[in-house]
Amino acid sequence: MDTLTLQSPLDMHLHLRDEQMLQLVAPLTSQTFSGAIIMPNLVPPVDTKEALIAYKSRILQAIDDHQFEPFMTLFFKEYSKEFLESVKDEITAIKLYPAGITTNSEGGVESIDVISLAPTLNAMSELGIPLCVHGETNGFVMDREKEFMNIYDALASEFPDLTIIMEHITTKEAVDMLDRHDNLYATITLHHLLITLDDVAGGMLQPHLFCKPIAKRYEDRDALLEVALNAHPKVMFGSDSAPHPQHAKEACGCAAGVFTAPIALQVLAELFEKHDKLENLQKFISDNACDIYNIKPLKKEIKLKKYPFEVPAYYKKGDQQVVPMYANQTIQWSLM
Ligand code: DOR
Ligand code: ZN
């Protein structure tokens, strides 16, 4: 097959940043995606109704005239039920970060214990607001996600009516969790389907592949591929495309994040085709997410063709310059 049509692709985990970076990266997602879950880890984090509404309108201004819906999230802290009721119609989920675990997460949760978080999580359950979680402890870097599994166990069993999304899973332990609790789901990134720690640090250090959670072992990547390629109904695509200026990536003290927005759909097509699973891409890229979040995306038909595309060395606007995954390399599918 040399062409592929996708209906309303969704990116269920996306960083759009703000100001000039937002202006640069937002159109690169909105050109191909019908909508995206927008991460709230700005400085300061998006944790009030006013900040959320203002951020949404800045996003809508930045997307040119593309048809695109930003699904907004709040940064998790302890919120009252009254507040959540008042903001419910403006948000699609709330994102929980353990404090200090990744970029701009200093204001996150210091200790995730089900008793102290119960008032907020019960209110979210009752109001039907999903909880998205960055699931890492601050242990040894390769074990951080695995060590977080007992926290997922506790959250999922203590709050059985709360929809919990394990964001950007990277391990076979997280894949196994999907079968343990009805209310646990997961997003999977493009880069974690493609790379292992070998690609990041096995040869010359590759700062543009450095992200959190770090890419893991081959058996972990295989477990992720298995559920993504077969469009397991509890997994969905979330790019975690996380742009940082080139100078912040190519630095002593490299910022975490892989920028995949402009190539995500094309490379997913290449990956699913390689494994003879192209017929499952529609579910992974949109249908599963619609079922999990109970959303109806804007109608948008995207056509791809099997035709080589040279990925640019960088994307630039004003004084912002960002390097995408596969910069200066050729990928096998293009946008039509
Ligand atoms: O690599 C990452 N970058 N992981 C995260 O969790 C945050 C993200 C960012 O915001 O840069
Ligand atoms: Zn993220």
Side-chain angles (χ1 to χ4, degrees), residues 15 17 41 97 102-103 134 168 210-213 240 242 244 256-257:
H15 297 269
R17 314 300 192 203
N41 61 332
Y97 290 93
T102 188
T103 312
H134 183 117
H168 43 53
F210 172 65
C211 64
K212 295 189 171 175
D240 199 14
H244 291 275

Side-chain angles (χ1 to χ4, degrees), residues 68-105:
F68 176 80
E69 182 167 7
F71 295 104
M72 303 305 291
T73 64
L74 275 176
F75 191 94
F76 184 96
K77 46 183 210 190
E78 290 177 40
Y79 293 112
S80 70
K81 187 162 185 200
E82 294 70 41
F83 170 76
L84 292 175
E85 260 163 352
S86 77
V87 79
K88 177 180 180 304
D89 292 342
E90 302 291 339
I91 62 174
T92 303
I94 297 181
K95 173 72 185 284
L96 186 154
Y97 290 93
I101 207 66
T102 188
T103 312
N104 304 337
S105 63

Side-chain angles (χ1 to χ4, degrees), residues 249-273:
K249 292 290 290 175
E250 297 174 4
C252 185
C254 166
V258 183
F259 179 54
T260 52
I263 55 140
L265 283 187
Q266 302 91 307
V267 178
L268 280 172
E270 184 173 335
L271 179 70
F272 276 63
E273 187 201 27

Side-chain angles (χ1 to χ4, degrees), residues 79-302:
Y79 293 112
S80 70
K81 187 162 185 200
E82 294 70 41
F83 170 76
L84 292 175
E85 260 163 352
S86 77
V87 79
K88 177 180 180 304
D89 292 342
E90 302 291 339
I91 62 174
T92 303
I94 297 181
K95 173 72 185 284
L96 186 154
Y97 290 93
I101 207 66
T102 188
T103 312
N104 304 337
S105 63
E106 293 70 21
V109 177
E110 290 290 345
S111 127
I112 305 178
D113 95 276
V114 293
I115 296 169
S116 62
L117 301 183
T120 306
L121 295 178
N122 280 325
M124 288 172 63
S125 262
E126 285 160 27
L127 295 168
I129 303 170
L131 176 74
C132 299
V133 182
H134 183 117
E136 288 195 284
T137 66
N138 57 10
F140 176 61
V141 68
M142 287 294 277
D143 294 337
R144 287 177 186 180
E145 183 172 287
K146 190 165 67 179
E147 288 174 1
F148 200 88
M149 293 303 129
N150 56 1
I151 301 180
Y152 280 132
D153 257 325
L155 289 170
S157 37
E158 194 69 25
F159 306 98
D161 297 326
L162 181 65
T163 293
I164 301 171
I165 294 113
M166 302 184 285
E167 294 295 334
H168 43 53
I169 59 172
T170 62
T171 55
K172 59 179 174 8
E173 286 80 7
V175 169
D176 292 341
M177 286 295 287
L178 291 168
D179 294 330
R180 296 246 291 269
H181 297 277
D182 286 348
N183 55 333
L184 269 188
Y185 303 87
T187 55
I188 302 180
T189 73
L190 172 65
H191 46 284
H192 291 119
L193 291 172
L194 294 166
I195 65 171
T196 68
L197 185 60
D198 269 354
D199 298 285
V200 186
M204 303 271 265
L205 190 65
Q206 299 299 322
H208 297 290
L209 298 180
F210 172 65
C211 64
K212 295 189 171 175
I214 194 103
K216 304 289 188 313
R217 296 176 171 79
Y218 291 86
E219 56 268 37
D220 294 307
R221 185 182 62 180
D222 289 346
L224 299 174
L225 275 170
E226 170 75 19
V227 284
L229 292 169
N230 291 306
H232 185 300
K234 296 181 88 182
V235 307
M236 55 198 155
F237 178 63
S239 70
D240 199 14
S241 178
H244 291 275
Q246 183 167 4
H247 63 78
K249 292 290 290 175
E250 297 174 4
C252 185
C254 166
V258 183
F259 179 54
T260 52
I263 55 140
L265 283 187
Q266 302 91 307
V267 178
L268 280 172
E270 184 173 335
L271 179 70
F272 276 63
E273 187 201 27
K274 177 179 145 198
H275 292 274
D276 208 8
K277 292 285 184 184
L278 261 187
E279 73 276 10
N280 289 341
L281 183 52
Q282 177 61 38
K283 286 191 183 133
F284 181 61
I285 201 70
S286 184
D287 301 355
N288 287 357
C290 293
D291 293 342
I292 293 166
Y293 273 94
N294 195 19
I295 52 177
K296 253 196 156 44
L298 298 172
K299 236 179 127 44
K300 186 161 176 173
E301 196 169 81
I302 296 298

